Amino acid sequence: MRRDRPAAPATVSSTTVTVVIPVLCGGQISVSVTAGTTTSNSLAFYYINPPEPTALSANTGPATATSISVLGSGLLTATGVTFGSAGAGTALTVVSDSELTITCPAHGAFTVPTDTVNVTCTTAGGTSIPLGAPTQYTYYDVPTVTSLSPTSGAVGSSTTVTGTNLVDVSSVTFTPTGGGTAVEADFASFSATSLVATIPSGLATGTYDVQATTPGGQTAIVAGDVFTVTA
């Protein structure tokens, strides 16, 4: 198939011709100049298709800078990756034409517990078009536990855990205060500010720090997260 595409020069001098590059598919083409009835020798010019990221190795993560992989095609000449309003990633490494690694920029202050942004790649071929969910990254604000109600009870009873950013909780644990082995508890989430945890069987009488884990991280140990297991 012929790929000839005439292009009218914008400026011409005895040594230089400036021309707007016509739209063509990716690949190598030959460029020559015609003056009157004479055509010059040709030189190679390369068209690079726009990048097409199709997936991320992780679509969720904490507010801190985190390394992920971007998968797709046309990534070989990548010069940058942008995470929506969060800004540009750092430590870009091109693994191949179909993969690169990038460190997400840290997220600033949140107004809601999560923030979903489009991830776009820029290469010599241009900037990718947002694809939707497969190439979106959701930042999660750090979760916290502020209080328990009740603060004591027997194994098998339950306590309401109150805090902030308790979205997509993956686990709730009871760890002996001062250190020890964490024991996972059954729980039910009700909102971004509360969940109900069942006191795990097998816990000895004593005090425990109750912590929740989300994609944003694990809640810090605070005075308000202490639960006392009674006989």
Side-chain angles (χ1 to χ4, degrees):
M1 180 184 295
R2 289 178 59 84
R3 304 183 72 218
D4 294 348
R5 183 66 61 86
T11 62
V12 178
S13 72
S14 60
T15 58
T16 305
V17 175
T18 302
V19 65
V20 176
I21 300 171
V23 176
L24 286 170
C25 296
Q28 178 180 323
I29 63 169
S30 297
V31 179
S32 59
V33 176
T34 298
T37 58
T38 302
T39 299
S40 71
N41 62 304
S42 61
L43 294 174
F45 184 85
Y46 297 88
Y47 275 87
I48 299 176
N49 286 325
E52 294 183 5
T54 56
L56 307 178
S57 61
N59 292 94
T60 62
T64 54
T66 306
S67 180
I68 66 169
S69 295
V70 179
L71 308 175
S73 62
L75 306 178
L76 194 61
T77 61
T79 56
V81 178
T82 301
F83 289 74
S85 58
T90 58
L92 170 64
T93 300
V94 176
V95 179
S96 67
D97 191 59
S98 59
E99 180 182 359
L100 57 83
T101 60
I102 191 74
T103 297
C104 312
H107 195 284
F110 286 77
T111 57
V112 291
T114 66
D115 182 23
T116 299
V117 297
N118 288 309
V119 179
T120 56
C121 298
T122 298
T123 70
T127 299
S128 62
I129 298 172
L131 185 63
T135 55
Q136 287 179 329
Y137 188 81
T138 300
Y139 287 95
Y140 282 69
D141 202 355
V142 180
T144 68
V145 169
T146 55
S147 65
L148 307 176
S149 180
T151 58
S152 64
V155 167
S157 64
S158 62
T159 183
T160 298
V161 180
T162 300
T164 62
N165 306 318
L166 300 176
V167 177
D168 295 334
V169 175
S170 58
S171 71
V172 174
T173 57
F174 283 66
T175 306
T177 55
T181 301
V183 178
E184 289 202 22
D186 292 332
F187 67 94
S189 294
F190 291 96
S191 70
T193 58
S194 72
L195 58 85
V196 172
T198 300
I199 315 309
S201 61
L203 292 186
T205 300
T207 57
Y208 295 82
D209 289 301
V210 180
Q211 294 174 275
T213 300
T214 75
Q218 186 178 55
T219 58
I221 294 176
V222 296
D225 72 16
V226 178
F227 186 88
T228 301
V229 175
T230 59

